[in-house]
Amino acid sequence: MKLRDLGEIDSPIVLFGGPYSNLQATEAMLAVVRARGLPAICTGDVVAYCADPVATVAAIRASNVAVVAGNCERQLASGALDCGCGFEAGTTCDLLSAGWFAYANAQVGAADRAWMDGLPDMVVFTQAGRRFAVIHGGASDVSRFIWPNSSEHVFGREISVIERHLGRVDGVIAGHCGLAFIRGVTGLLWTNAGVIGMPANYGKTVGHYAIMEDGIATLHDLTSAT
């Protein structure tokens, strides 16, 4: 388990995930970060479904954004032959992922893979006296899908794994599932900041991100006009 401690963050902080090789969405998100003059953390999957994996990685690497390794980064860094997304075998997502991963695998070079290999599995920071862990999917499995309606037991298991490595935390920020949500579980708030590279399947054409201020996260839409 690779950990990165960002220490105390006094300002608000931008939280986002899933650039997904979508350069335009990444540029829009980074424009928000620059305009607000805030630090930012990405929950991973910089490379995935869309057309510009190399340019998207370059944009993220050139920024001051802290990045947690997603399953896509881990798979590309290790030379794996699939994205390791955790899709059920034979499903539409599983079949379609083979195409985009092969494309990304052919594009991403050695220097970017080395950068991915060095990314932490978990980031920790403190704000307003509260301690937060940032992960990709689950702490027990980087590609674990944790949904807004997952059972309390699922959340509790992941929190116990996190606290085994970090000690007590007051909140968790995650990604991977593609849905932005905030849920109170086992005495703390679990925030999924959503993804910016593809819209959630709920009838809108926007990505999502979060801003945390004074230890409280709020969810926001990301559009080209943001």
Side-chain angles (χ1 to χ4, degrees):
M1 177 73 72
K2 298 178 183 177
L3 306 175
R4 181 182 177 187
D5 191 340
L6 301 181
E8 179 76 29
I9 297 177
D10 296 325
S11 69
I13 184 168
V14 177
L15 307 164
F16 69 94
Y20 287 167
S21 304
N22 184 331
L23 180 60
Q24 289 73 28
T26 302
E27 289 174 338
M29 186 74 259
L30 294 178
V32 171
V33 173
R34 289 191 298 269
R36 292 177 176 265
L38 298 178
I41 303 174
C42 174
T43 62
D45 283 355
V46 176
V47 171
Y49 303 91
C50 300
D52 293 301
V54 175
T56 302
V57 171
I60 292 292
R61 291 188 66 182
S63 73
N64 290 320
V65 172
V67 181
V68 173
N71 53 280
C72 295
E73 283 76 53
R74 284 287 173 252
Q75 295 294 92
L76 286 165
S78 68
L81 298 179
D82 61 64
C83 66
C85 291
F87 299 134
E88 185 178 344
T91 62
T92 299
C93 288
D94 178 52
L95 297 173
L96 291 176
S97 70
W100 72 252
F101 188 84
Y103 173 76
N105 202 26
Q107 299 293 315
V108 176
D112 286 338
R113 292 172 195 261
W115 170 76
M116 293 174 185
D117 189 51
L119 293 174
D121 302 294
M122 194 181 304
V123 165
V124 60
F125 68 92
T126 303
Q127 186 185 72
R130 300 174 185 173
R131 197 159 182 255
F132 296 91
V134 188
I135 61 174
H136 178 63
S140 65
D141 180 354
V142 67
S143 62
R144 187 172 195 183
F145 287 100
I146 299 176
W147 307 103
N149 60 349
S150 291
S151 71
E152 193 88 0
H153 172 75
V154 167
F155 287 97
R157 178 188 175 193
E158 298 304 323
I159 291 165
S160 69
V161 174
I162 290 168
E163 293 189 333
R164 192 182 310 150
H165 292 280
L166 294 180
R168 174 154 179 81
V169 296
D170 301 294
V172 176
I173 297 101
H176 188 59
C177 80
L179 299 177
F181 67 90
I182 299 173
R183 178 171 162 181
V185 287
T186 63
L188 55 77
L189 286 180
W190 183 290
T191 299
N192 192 305
V195 299
I196 62 170
M198 291 177 65
N201 186 20
Y202 74 138
K204 295 185 179 181
T205 57
V206 298
H208 298 94
Y209 65 99
I211 294 179
M212 179 171 281
E213 184 171 9
D214 295 329
I216 303 297
T218 54
L219 301 176
H220 301 263
D221 291 349
L222 177 67
T223 69
S224 58
T226 297

